[in-house]
Each structure stands twice: as structure tokens, then as C-alpha cells.
């Protein structure tokens, strides 16, 4: 299911994933690993959930060209 929603303005860490939706977990792992690294100064904003933004559609481009931005709101 696809959900459309409004997210209030915030700062976020972002990762752009290119390719099949089947491999989005790789992008999520990269994002969350970086966020949880104690050497960086970023802290998760737990008041806003992480989310994905789809920049194109499988109806319009090849699976290998799909682009998804994964966001983790930070304080």
C-alpha cells in the first residue's frame, strides 16, 4: 500500500537508492548504520518517523533506474 502524507519541516539524513525495490534494505541499512555510529554528531528525531520518497515509477523507467530517497529525521 502507498500512503501519502505531510511531514512538517525538519532536518534529515538522506540516502538515495538506485535500483530495484527488492534491494531497498541495503539503503536502509546504510542509513541506519551511519545514524547509529557514535562518531557522528547526529541524533535521531524520534518524533518524526523515517520515510521514503519515490522519485520515479516502475511504470516509467526500468527497474535498474528506479530512484528512492530514504530519510531519517535528525535533531
Amino acid at each position: 500500500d502507498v500512503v501519502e502524507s505531510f511531514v512538517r519541516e525538519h532536518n534529515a539524513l538522506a540516502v538515495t537508492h538506485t535500483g530495484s525495490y527488492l534491494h531497498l534494505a541495503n539503503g536502509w541499512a546504510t542509513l541506519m548504520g551511519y545514524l547509529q555510529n557514535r562518531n557522528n554528531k547526529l541524533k535521531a528525531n524520534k518524533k518524526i518517523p523515517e520515510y521514503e520518497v519515490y522519485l520515479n515509477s516502475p511504470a516509467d523507467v526500468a527497474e535498474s533506474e528506479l530512484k528512492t530517497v530514504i530519510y531519517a529525521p535528525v535533531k
Side-chain angles (χ1 to χ4, degrees):
D1 293 334
V2 175
V3 176
E4 181 180 347
S5 121
F6 172 81
V7 179
R8 68 177 183 259
E9 185 174 332
H10 62 279
N11 293 321
L13 179 62
V15 168
T16 301
H17 175 270
T18 302
S20 172
Y21 296 149
L22 294 174
H23 303 292
L24 273 174
N26 295 334
W28 277 100
T30 300
L31 180 75
M32 299 313 283
Y34 185 85
L35 189 58
Q36 294 170 0
N37 183 332
R38 294 181 183 181
N39 293 327
N40 72 48
K41 307 285 185 204
L42 298 174
K43 300 290 181 200
N45 183 344
K46 302 213 184 256
K47 294 180 181 179
I48 305 171
E50 297 89 4
Y51 58 95
E52 299 171 357
V53 174
Y54 306 98
L55 301 181
N56 51 20
S57 166
D60 300 326
V61 299
E63 187 174 56
S64 63
E65 296 175 20
L66 290 170
K67 292 199 182 294
T68 306
V69 183
I70 307 167
Y71 291 96
V74 295
K75 294 180 183 179

